Amino acid sequence: MPDTSSNAALPALPPLTDQAERLIALGVPELAGIPADEIRAYARSATAGDGSGTGTGTGTGTGDTLLAVHPDRAPASALTPLLRRGDKPGFVVVDMPDVDDFAPAGVELPDSALYLVTGLDRGDRMANWSPEEALPALVAQARTPLVLGEGIHWVLQQPAVLERNHCFMTIGSRLRKANGTLDARTPAIWISNGTGRDGRERRDAPKVGWCWWGNRHTWLGFASGTGRGECNHR
């Protein structure tokens, strides 16, 4: 099984305190019902626990730690329009009106409104793999696939991680149908070409859409992390 780590060329995430200010500037406290000062305090405490200004006390300290808001508080439908690429806002594809029903599957999120995701990787080396092939490979390397909300947070904080021909899927989110089976759609974040129902005016805009569980795409990797946790230094 090939190595799935592939982040060497990606820019580091901002310090957690800067990430908090970014969320506040975007209006996330209002949409999530979390006071801005609570987000600031959380980020300060997590940073103090690491001592580096960029990490969480988990030994990362390398700018690969993400401050995330739990999807129950900040659903994908609310976060996606906050994405920007140039002057183009993000959007959800028209045939995914149930985007907020894609819930964590096979991954466990902290029971907290705010939490941290460490060791982010875009999974470029897994491009042209299907989600069905990628998931066991990630698990074998003790990596956890990102859920959709985490992927959106990543692009909000570091838009450069979304590049043409180097975008990613977030297969930690799946939709369970009424009969108990999983929907074959799997969420992804990429860049619109402005074709079809996207509309020409959306060319180059960040796009939340889906791909089939068994299909391969040369331009989609599989975003993952090394772990999730709450800040324990408050």
Side-chain angles (χ1 to χ4, degrees), residues 154-187:
W154 194 12
V155 180
L156 284 173
Q157 297 290 356
Q158 185 47 275
V161 302
L162 202 65
E163 303 178 76
R164 283 210 171 273
N165 301 315
H166 295 290
C167 301
F168 59 86
M169 301 192 71
T170 54
I171 61 174
S173 292
R174 301 292 304 277
L175 174 63
R176 193 166 294 279
K177 297 188 288 189
N179 63 5
T181 63
L182 289 170
D183 194 290
R185 294 173 296 164
T186 50

PDB file of all heavy atoms in Angstrom, residues 154-187:
ATOM      1  N   TRP A 154     -11.029  23.866   6.926  1.00  0.00           N
ATOM      2  CA  TRP A 154      -9.654  23.895   6.434  1.00  0.00           C
ATOM      3  C   TRP A 154      -9.500  24.921   5.307  1.00  0.00           C
ATOM      4  O   TRP A 154      -8.579  25.736   5.296  1.00  0.00           O
ATOM      5  CB  TRP A 154      -9.240  22.503   5.967  1.00  0.00           C
ATOM      6  CG  TRP A 154      -7.764  22.319   5.746  1.00  0.00           C
ATOM      7  CD1 TRP A 154      -6.756  23.162   6.117  1.00  0.00           C
ATOM      8  CD2 TRP A 154      -7.139  21.204   5.122  1.00  0.00           C
ATOM      9  NE1 TRP A 154      -5.537  22.640   5.756  1.00  0.00           N
ATOM     10  CE2 TRP A 154      -5.735  21.440   5.150  1.00  0.00           C
ATOM     11  CE3 TRP A 154      -7.613  20.020   4.558  1.00  0.00           C
ATOM     12  CZ2 TRP A 154      -4.808  20.534   4.611  1.00  0.00           C
ATOM     13  CZ3 TRP A 154      -6.699  19.120   4.022  1.00  0.00           C
ATOM     14  CH2 TRP A 154      -5.322  19.374   4.056  1.00  0.00           C
ATOM     15  N   VAL A 155     -10.439  24.895   4.365  1.00  0.00           N
ATOM     16  CA  VAL A 155     -10.364  25.836   3.244  1.00  0.00           C
ATOM     17  C   VAL A 155     -10.662  27.262   3.708  1.00  0.00           C
ATOM     18  O   VAL A 155     -10.087  28.226   3.185  1.00  0.00           O
ATOM     19  CB  VAL A 155     -11.316  25.401   2.115  1.00  0.00           C
ATOM     20  CG1 VAL A 155     -11.247  26.378   0.940  1.00  0.00           C
ATOM     21  CG2 VAL A 155     -10.975  23.992   1.624  1.00  0.00           C
ATOM     22  N   LEU A 156     -11.540  27.428   4.683  1.00  0.00           N
ATOM     23  CA  LEU A 156     -11.786  28.761   5.235  1.00  0.00           C
ATOM     24  C   LEU A 156     -10.507  29.361   5.816  1.00  0.00           C
ATOM     25  O   LEU A 156     -10.227  30.552   5.655  1.00  0.00           O
ATOM     26  CB  LEU A 156     -12.855  28.698   6.330  1.00  0.00           C
ATOM     27  CG  LEU A 156     -14.311  28.548   5.906  1.00  0.00           C
ATOM     28  CD1 LEU A 156     -15.191  28.343   7.132  1.00  0.00           C
ATOM     29  CD2 LEU A 156     -14.783  29.758   5.112  1.00  0.00           C
ATOM     30  N   GLN A 157      -9.740  28.532   6.500  1.00  0.00           N
ATOM     31  CA  GLN A 157      -8.542  29.024   7.171  1.00  0.00           C
ATOM     32  C   GLN A 157      -7.333  29.104   6.250  1.00  0.00           C
ATOM     33  O   GLN A 157      -6.454  29.949   6.449  1.00  0.00           O
ATOM     34  CB  GLN A 157      -8.203  28.119   8.370  1.00  0.00           C
ATOM     35  CG  GLN A 157      -9.254  28.098   9.452  1.00  0.00           C
ATOM     36  CD  GLN A 157      -9.347  29.411  10.217  1.00  0.00           C
ATOM     37  OE1 GLN A 157      -8.571  30.350   9.999  1.00  0.00           O
ATOM     38  NE2 GLN A 157     -10.308  29.500  11.117  1.00  0.00           N
ATOM     39  N   GLN A 158      -7.280  28.240   5.244  1.00  0.00           N
ATOM     40  CA  GLN A 158      -6.139  28.222   4.340  1.00  0.00           C
ATOM     41  C   GLN A 158      -6.647  27.925   2.924  1.00  0.00           C
ATOM     42  O   GLN A 158      -6.594  26.792   2.453  1.00  0.00           O
ATOM     43  CB  GLN A 158      -5.114  27.165   4.793  1.00  0.00           C
ATOM     44  CG  GLN A 158      -3.822  27.150   3.996  1.00  0.00           C
ATOM     45  CD  GLN A 158      -3.249  28.528   3.797  1.00  0.00           C
ATOM     46  OE1 GLN A 158      -3.622  29.238   2.866  1.00  0.00           O
ATOM     47  NE2 GLN A 158      -2.342  28.917   4.685  1.00  0.00           N
ATOM     48  N   PRO A 159      -7.172  28.961   2.235  1.00  0.00           N
ATOM     49  CA  PRO A 159      -7.770  28.744   0.899  1.00  0.00           C
ATOM     50  C   PRO A 159      -6.825  28.087  -0.091  1.00  0.00           C
ATOM     51  O   PRO A 159      -7.278  27.431  -1.045  1.00  0.00           O
ATOM     52  CB  PRO A 159      -8.145  30.165   0.463  1.00  0.00           C
ATOM     53  CG  PRO A 159      -8.330  30.927   1.738  1.00  0.00           C
ATOM     54  CD  PRO A 159      -7.315  30.358   2.693  1.00  0.00           C
ATOM     55  N   ALA A 160      -5.517  28.222   0.126  1.00  0.00           N
ATOM     56  CA  ALA A 160      -4.548  27.666  -0.825  1.00  0.00           C
ATOM     57  C   ALA A 160      -4.554  26.143  -0.867  1.00  0.00           C
ATOM     58  O   ALA A 160      -3.992  25.553  -1.799  1.00  0.00           O
ATOM     59  CB  ALA A 160      -3.143  28.162  -0.493  1.00  0.00           C
ATOM     60  N   VAL A 161      -5.191  25.485   0.101  1.00  0.00           N
ATOM     61  CA  VAL A 161      -5.215  24.025   0.047  1.00  0.00           C
ATOM     62  C   VAL A 161      -6.154  23.521  -1.048  1.00  0.00           C
ATOM     63  O   VAL A 161      -6.109  22.344  -1.406  1.00  0.00           O
ATOM     64  CB  VAL A 161      -5.614  23.388   1.399  1.00  0.00           C
ATOM     65  CG1 VAL A 161      -4.657  23.821   2.490  1.00  0.00           C
ATOM     66  CG2 VAL A 161      -7.047  23.676   1.778  1.00  0.00           C
ATOM     67  N   LEU A 162      -6.988  24.401  -1.583  1.00  0.00           N
ATOM     68  CA  LEU A 162      -7.879  24.026  -2.670  1.00  0.00           C
ATOM     69  C   LEU A 162      -7.275  24.549  -3.965  1.00  0.00           C
ATOM     70  O   LEU A 162      -7.284  25.741  -4.235  1.00  0.00           O
ATOM     71  CB  LEU A 162      -9.278  24.627  -2.439  1.00  0.00           C
ATOM     72  CG  LEU A 162     -10.436  23.944  -3.166  1.00  0.00           C
ATOM     73  CD1 LEU A 162     -10.628  22.516  -2.657  1.00  0.00           C
ATOM     74  CD2 LEU A 162     -11.723  24.735  -2.992  1.00  0.00           C
ATOM     75  N   GLU A 163      -6.719  23.653  -4.764  1.00  0.00           N
ATOM     76  CA  GLU A 163      -6.064  24.009  -6.008  1.00  0.00           C
ATOM     77  C   GLU A 163      -6.693  23.253  -7.168  1.00  0.00           C
ATOM     78  O   GLU A 163      -7.175  22.134  -6.998  1.00  0.00           O
ATOM     79  CB  GLU A 163      -4.579  23.634  -5.970  1.00  0.00           C
ATOM     80  CG  GLU A 163      -3.758  24.218  -4.862  1.00  0.00           C
ATOM     81  CD  GLU A 163      -2.331  23.706  -4.942  1.00  0.00           C
ATOM     82  OE1 GLU A 163      -1.581  24.190  -5.811  1.00  0.00           O
ATOM     83  OE2 GLU A 163      -1.983  22.804  -4.157  1.00  0.00           O
ATOM     84  N   ARG A 164      -6.646  23.835  -8.337  1.00  0.00           N
ATOM     85  CA  ARG A 164      -7.109  23.096  -9.511  1.00  0.00           C
ATOM     86  C   ARG A 164      -6.270  21.835  -9.674  1.00  0.00           C
ATOM     87  O   ARG A 164      -5.050  21.868  -9.583  1.00  0.00           O
ATOM     88  CB  ARG A 164      -7.020  23.953 -10.770  1.00  0.00           C
ATOM     89  CG  ARG A 164      -8.151  24.954 -10.852  1.00  0.00           C
ATOM     90  CD  ARG A 164      -8.542  25.277 -12.292  1.00  0.00           C
ATOM     91  NE  ARG A 164      -9.757  26.083 -12.320  1.00  0.00           N
ATOM     92  CZ  ARG A 164     -10.975  25.596 -12.325  1.00  0.00           C
ATOM     93  NH1 ARG A 164     -11.152  24.280 -12.298  1.00  0.00           N
ATOM     94  NH2 ARG A 164     -12.023  26.384 -12.364  1.00  0.00           N
ATOM     95  N   ASN A 165      -6.971  20.742  -9.902  1.00  0.00           N
ATOM     96  CA  ASN A 165      -6.371  19.412 -10.062  1.00  0.00           C
ATOM     97  C   ASN A 165      -5.812  18.840  -8.757  1.00  0.00           C
ATOM     98  O   ASN A 165      -5.217  17.761  -8.762  1.00  0.00           O
ATOM     99  CB  ASN A 165      -5.267  19.423 -11.133  1.00  0.00           C
ATOM    100  CG  ASN A 165      -5.783  19.854 -12.480  1.00  0.00           C
ATOM    101  OD1 ASN A 165      -6.844  19.403 -12.919  1.00  0.00           O
ATOM    102  ND2 ASN A 165      -5.057  20.743 -13.145  1.00  0.00           N
ATOM    103  N   HIS A 166      -6.007  19.553  -7.644  1.00  0.00           N
ATOM    104  CA  HIS A 166      -5.575  19.054  -6.336  1.00  0.00           C
ATOM    105  C   HIS A 166      -6.613  19.444  -5.293  1.00  0.00           C
ATOM    106  O   HIS A 166      -6.356  20.259  -4.412  1.00  0.00           O
ATOM    107  CB  HIS A 166      -4.208  19.619  -5.957  1.00  0.00           C
ATOM    108  CG  HIS A 166      -3.102  19.182  -6.853  1.00  0.00           C
ATOM    109  ND1 HIS A 166      -2.622  17.885  -6.872  1.00  0.00           N
ATOM    110  CD2 HIS A 166      -2.400  19.870  -7.796  1.00  0.00           C
ATOM    111  CE1 HIS A 166      -1.656  17.794  -7.765  1.00  0.00           C
ATOM    112  NE2 HIS A 166      -1.509  18.976  -8.343  1.00  0.00           N
ATOM    113  N   CYS A 167      -7.781  18.842  -5.402  1.00  0.00           N
ATOM    114  CA  CYS A 167      -8.867  19.084  -4.454  1.00  0.00           C
ATOM    115  C   CYS A 167      -9.071  17.800  -3.642  1.00  0.00           C
ATOM    116  O   CYS A 167      -8.269  16.885  -3.726  1.00  0.00           O
ATOM    117  CB  CYS A 167     -10.123  19.523  -5.194  1.00  0.00           C
ATOM    118  SG  CYS A 167      -9.861  21.054  -6.165  1.00  0.00           S
ATOM    119  N   PHE A 168     -10.131  17.723  -2.850  1.00  0.00           N
ATOM    120  CA  PHE A 168     -10.197  16.560  -1.960  1.00  0.00           C
ATOM    121  C   PHE A 168     -11.621  16.169  -1.590  1.00  0.00           C
ATOM    122  O   PHE A 168     -12.548  16.966  -1.622  1.00  0.00           O
ATOM    123  CB  PHE A 168      -9.380  16.804  -0.691  1.00  0.00           C
ATOM    124  CG  PHE A 168      -9.806  18.003   0.126  1.00  0.00           C
ATOM    125  CD1 PHE A 168     -10.813  17.911   1.069  1.00  0.00           C
ATOM    126  CD2 PHE A 168      -9.171  19.234  -0.048  1.00  0.00           C
ATOM    127  CE1 PHE A 168     -11.196  19.009   1.828  1.00  0.00           C
ATOM    128  CE2 PHE A 168      -9.529  20.333   0.714  1.00  0.00           C
ATOM    129  CZ  PHE A 168     -10.545  20.222   1.654  1.00  0.00           C
ATOM    130  N   MET A 169     -11.729  14.900  -1.209  1.00  0.00           N
ATOM    131  CA  MET A 169     -12.973  14.349  -0.693  1.00  0.00           C
ATOM    132  C   MET A 169     -12.925  14.318   0.832  1.00  0.00           C
ATOM    133  O   MET A 169     -11.849  14.350   1.434  1.00  0.00           O
ATOM    134  CB  MET A 169     -13.207  12.941  -1.243  1.00  0.00           C
ATOM    135  CG  MET A 169     -13.265  12.891  -2.764  1.00  0.00           C
ATOM    136  SD  MET A 169     -13.882  11.317  -3.387  1.00  0.00           S
ATOM    137  CE  MET A 169     -15.600  11.462  -2.916  1.00  0.00           C
ATOM    138  N   THR A 170     -14.095  14.285   1.438  1.00  0.00           N
ATOM    139  CA  THR A 170     -14.219  14.223   2.902  1.00  0.00           C
ATOM    140  C   THR A 170     -15.110  13.028   3.243  1.00  0.00           C
ATOM    141  O   THR A 170     -16.283  13.176   3.573  1.00  0.00           O
ATOM    142  CB  THR A 170     -14.813  15.527   3.457  1.00  0.00           C
ATOM    143  OG1 THR A 170     -16.054  15.807   2.779  1.00  0.00           O
ATOM    144  CG2 THR A 170     -13.864  16.694   3.229  1.00  0.00           C
ATOM    145  N   ILE A 171     -14.523  11.846   3.165  1.00  0.00           N
ATOM    146  CA  ILE A 171     -15.316  10.624   3.234  1.00  0.00           C
ATOM    147  C   ILE A 171     -15.650  10.205   4.664  1.00  0.00           C
ATOM    148  O   ILE A 171     -16.260   9.152   4.865  1.00  0.00           O
ATOM    149  CB  ILE A 171     -14.636   9.472   2.480  1.00  0.00           C
ATOM    150  CG1 ILE A 171     -13.258   9.153   3.083  1.00  0.00           C
ATOM    151  CG2 ILE A 171     -14.511   9.814   1.004  1.00  0.00           C
ATOM    152  CD1 ILE A 171     -12.609   7.922   2.454  1.00  0.00           C
ATOM    153  N   GLY A 172     -15.285  11.047   5.647  1.00  0.00           N
ATOM    154  CA  GLY A 172     -15.751  10.788   7.005  1.00  0.00           C
ATOM    155  C   GLY A 172     -17.224  11.107   7.193  1.00  0.00           C
ATOM    156  O   GLY A 172     -17.818  10.752   8.207  1.00  0.00           O
ATOM    157  N   SER A 173     -17.822  11.779   6.206  1.00  0.00           N
ATOM    158  CA  SER A 173     -19.262  12.099   6.224  1.00  0.00           C
ATOM    159  C   SER A 173     -19.983  11.209   5.230  1.00  0.00           C
ATOM    160  O   SER A 173     -19.594  11.126   4.064  1.00  0.00           O
ATOM    161  CB  SER A 173     -19.496  13.565   5.851  1.00  0.00           C
ATOM    162  OG  SER A 173     -19.008  14.437   6.834  1.00  0.00           O
ATOM    163  N   ARG A 174     -21.028  10.572   5.693  1.00  0.00           N
ATOM    164  CA  ARG A 174     -21.869   9.736   4.817  1.00  0.00           C
ATOM    165  C   ARG A 174     -23.337   9.978   5.174  1.00  0.00           C
ATOM    166  O   ARG A 174     -23.667  10.408   6.281  1.00  0.00           O
ATOM    167  CB  ARG A 174     -21.558   8.241   4.997  1.00  0.00           C
ATOM    168  CG  ARG A 174     -20.130   7.822   4.706  1.00  0.00           C
ATOM    169  CD  ARG A 174     -19.747   7.929   3.235  1.00  0.00           C
ATOM    170  NE  ARG A 174     -20.614   7.172   2.357  1.00  0.00           N
ATOM    171  CZ  ARG A 174     -20.501   5.864   2.094  1.00  0.00           C
ATOM    172  NH1 ARG A 174     -19.557   5.156   2.704  1.00  0.00           N
ATOM    173  NH2 ARG A 174     -21.313   5.266   1.243  1.00  0.00           N
ATOM    174  N   LEU A 175     -24.199   9.657   4.251  1.00  0.00           N
ATOM    175  CA  LEU A 175     -25.637   9.772   4.460  1.00  0.00           C
ATOM    176  C   LEU A 175     -26.237   8.381   4.611  1.00  0.00           C
ATOM    177  O   LEU A 175     -26.096   7.540   3.717  1.00  0.00           O
ATOM    178  CB  LEU A 175     -26.284  10.488   3.276  1.00  0.00           C
ATOM    179  CG  LEU A 175     -27.813  10.565   3.277  1.00  0.00           C
ATOM    180  CD1 LEU A 175     -28.311  11.369   4.469  1.00  0.00           C
ATOM    181  CD2 LEU A 175     -28.325  11.164   1.974  1.00  0.00           C
ATOM    182  N   ARG A 176     -26.865   8.150   5.753  1.00  0.00           N
ATOM    183  CA  ARG A 176     -27.522   6.861   5.968  1.00  0.00           C
ATOM    184  C   ARG A 176     -28.984   6.976   5.559  1.00  0.00           C
ATOM    185  O   ARG A 176     -29.705   7.850   6.015  1.00  0.00           O
ATOM    186  CB  ARG A 176     -27.413   6.417   7.425  1.00  0.00           C
ATOM    187  CG  ARG A 176     -27.791   4.953   7.620  1.00  0.00           C
ATOM    188  CD  ARG A 176     -27.357   4.442   8.970  1.00  0.00           C
ATOM    189  NE  ARG A 176     -25.910   4.403   9.141  1.00  0.00           N
ATOM    190  CZ  ARG A 176     -25.122   3.428   8.683  1.00  0.00           C
ATOM    191  NH1 ARG A 176     -25.643   2.411   8.004  1.00  0.00           N
ATOM    192  NH2 ARG A 176     -23.821   3.472   8.898  1.00  0.00           N
ATOM    193  N   LYS A 177     -29.401   6.087   4.667  1.00  0.00           N
ATOM    194  CA  LYS A 177     -30.762   6.123   4.143  1.00  0.00           C
ATOM    195  C   LYS A 177     -31.746   5.511   5.140  1.00  0.00           C
ATOM    196  O   LYS A 177     -31.352   4.901   6.135  1.00  0.00           O
ATOM    197  CB  LYS A 177     -30.814   5.388   2.807  1.00  0.00           C
ATOM    198  CG  LYS A 177     -29.940   6.038   1.733  1.00  0.00           C
ATOM    199  CD  LYS A 177     -30.146   5.436   0.379  1.00  0.00           C
ATOM    200  CE  LYS A 177     -29.550   4.051   0.268  1.00  0.00           C
ATOM    201  NZ  LYS A 177     -29.569   3.539  -1.131  1.00  0.00           N
ATOM    202  N   ALA A 178     -33.021   5.688   4.856  1.00  0.00           N
ATOM    203  CA  ALA A 178     -34.063   5.223   5.776  1.00  0.00           C
ATOM    204  C   ALA A 178     -34.000   3.721   6.019  1.00  0.00           C
ATOM    205  O   ALA A 178     -34.359   3.241   7.099  1.00  0.00           O
ATOM    206  CB  ALA A 178     -35.442   5.616   5.244  1.00  0.00           C
ATOM    207  N   ASN A 179     -33.515   2.967   5.029  1.00  0.00           N
ATOM    208  CA  ASN A 179     -33.450   1.512   5.186  1.00  0.00           C
ATOM    209  C   ASN A 179     -32.169   1.056   5.888  1.00  0.00           C
ATOM    210  O   ASN A 179     -31.902  -0.138   6.015  1.00  0.00           O
ATOM    211  CB  ASN A 179     -33.570   0.813   3.838  1.00  0.00           C
ATOM    212  CG  ASN A 179     -32.427   1.148   2.888  1.00  0.00           C
ATOM    213  OD1 ASN A 179     -31.478   1.841   3.256  1.00  0.00           O
ATOM    214  ND2 ASN A 179     -32.521   0.657   1.658  1.00  0.00           N
ATOM    215  N   GLY A 180     -31.351   2.033   6.328  1.00  0.00           N
ATOM    216  CA  GLY A 180     -30.144   1.705   7.084  1.00  0.00           C
ATOM    217  C   GLY A 180     -28.878   1.606   6.262  1.00  0.00           C
ATOM    218  O   GLY A 180     -27.781   1.556   6.826  1.00  0.00           O
ATOM    219  N   THR A 181     -28.994   1.546   4.954  1.00  0.00           N
ATOM    220  CA  THR A 181     -27.810   1.466   4.104  1.00  0.00           C
ATOM    221  C   THR A 181     -27.232   2.864   3.872  1.00  0.00           C
ATOM    222  O   THR A 181     -27.918   3.880   4.031  1.00  0.00           O
ATOM    223  CB  THR A 181     -28.136   0.819   2.756  1.00  0.00           C
ATOM    224  OG1 THR A 181     -29.079   1.639   2.057  1.00  0.00           O
ATOM    225  CG2 THR A 181     -28.719  -0.580   2.948  1.00  0.00           C
ATOM    226  N   LEU A 182     -25.975   2.901   3.469  1.00  0.00           N
ATOM    227  CA  LEU A 182     -25.325   4.170   3.207  1.00  0.00           C
ATOM    228  C   LEU A 182     -25.557   4.607   1.767  1.00  0.00           C
ATOM    229  O   LEU A 182     -25.451   3.812   0.832  1.00  0.00           O
ATOM    230  CB  LEU A 182     -23.816   4.063   3.473  1.00  0.00           C
ATOM    231  CG  LEU A 182     -23.402   3.935   4.940  1.00  0.00           C
ATOM    232  CD1 LEU A 182     -21.928   3.586   5.041  1.00  0.00           C
ATOM    233  CD2 LEU A 182     -23.710   5.219   5.696  1.00  0.00           C
ATOM    234  N   ASP A 183     -25.886   5.874   1.605  1.00  0.00           N
ATOM    235  CA  ASP A 183     -26.007   6.471   0.282  1.00  0.00           C
ATOM    236  C   ASP A 183     -24.658   6.360  -0.431  1.00  0.00           C
ATOM    237  O   ASP A 183     -23.600   6.488   0.191  1.00  0.00           O
ATOM    238  CB  ASP A 183     -26.414   7.939   0.435  1.00  0.00           C
ATOM    239  CG  ASP A 183     -26.885   8.564  -0.857  1.00  0.00           C
ATOM    240  OD1 ASP A 183     -26.032   8.779  -1.755  1.00  0.00           O
ATOM    241  OD2 ASP A 183     -28.076   8.862  -0.974  1.00  0.00           O
ATOM    242  N   ALA A 184     -24.686   6.113  -1.731  1.00  0.00           N
ATOM    243  CA  ALA A 184     -23.448   5.940  -2.494  1.00  0.00           C
ATOM    244  C   ALA A 184     -22.732   7.258  -2.769  1.00  0.00           C
ATOM    245  O   ALA A 184     -21.588   7.253  -3.227  1.00  0.00           O
ATOM    246  CB  ALA A 184     -23.735   5.228  -3.814  1.00  0.00           C
ATOM    247  N   ARG A 185     -23.381   8.377  -2.481  1.00  0.00           N
ATOM    248  CA  ARG A 185     -22.710   9.665  -2.654  1.00  0.00           C
ATOM    249  C   ARG A 185     -21.739   9.918  -1.505  1.00  0.00           C
ATOM    250  O   ARG A 185     -22.021   9.588  -0.365  1.00  0.00           O
ATOM    251  CB  ARG A 185     -23.738  10.798  -2.705  1.00  0.00           C
ATOM    252  CG  ARG A 185     -24.661  10.770  -3.906  1.00  0.00           C
ATOM    253  CD  ARG A 185     -25.743  11.826  -3.774  1.00  0.00           C
ATOM    254  NE  ARG A 185     -26.613  11.561  -2.640  1.00  0.00           N
ATOM    255  CZ  ARG A 185     -27.447  12.455  -2.094  1.00  0.00           C
ATOM    256  NH1 ARG A 185     -27.504  13.691  -2.584  1.00  0.00           N
ATOM    257  NH2 ARG A 185     -28.215  12.115  -1.094  1.00  0.00           N
ATOM    258  N   THR A 186     -20.607  10.518  -1.824  1.00  0.00           N
ATOM    259  CA  THR A 186     -19.640  10.909  -0.793  1.00  0.00           C
ATOM    260  C   THR A 186     -19.230  12.351  -1.049  1.00  0.00           C
ATOM    261  O   THR A 186     -18.976  12.739  -2.185  1.00  0.00           O
ATOM    262  CB  THR A 186     -18.402   9.987  -0.799  1.00  0.00           C
ATOM    263  OG1 THR A 186     -17.899   9.878  -2.128  1.00  0.00           O
ATOM    264  CG2 THR A 186     -18.770   8.613  -0.292  1.00  0.00           C
ATOM    265  N   PRO A 187     -19.149  13.193   0.005  1.00  0.00           N
ATOM    266  CA  PRO A 187     -18.912  14.624  -0.182  1.00  0.00           C
ATOM    267  C   PRO A 187     -17.473  14.942  -0.607  1.00  0.00           C
ATOM    268  O   PRO A 187     -16.526  14.228  -0.261  1.00  0.00           O
ATOM    269  CB  PRO A 187     -19.204  15.229   1.195  1.00  0.00           C
ATOM    270  CG  PRO A 187     -19.851  14.152   1.990  1.00  0.00           C
ATOM    271  CD  PRO A 187     -19.409  12.859   1.411  1.00  0.00           C
TER     272      PRO A 187
END
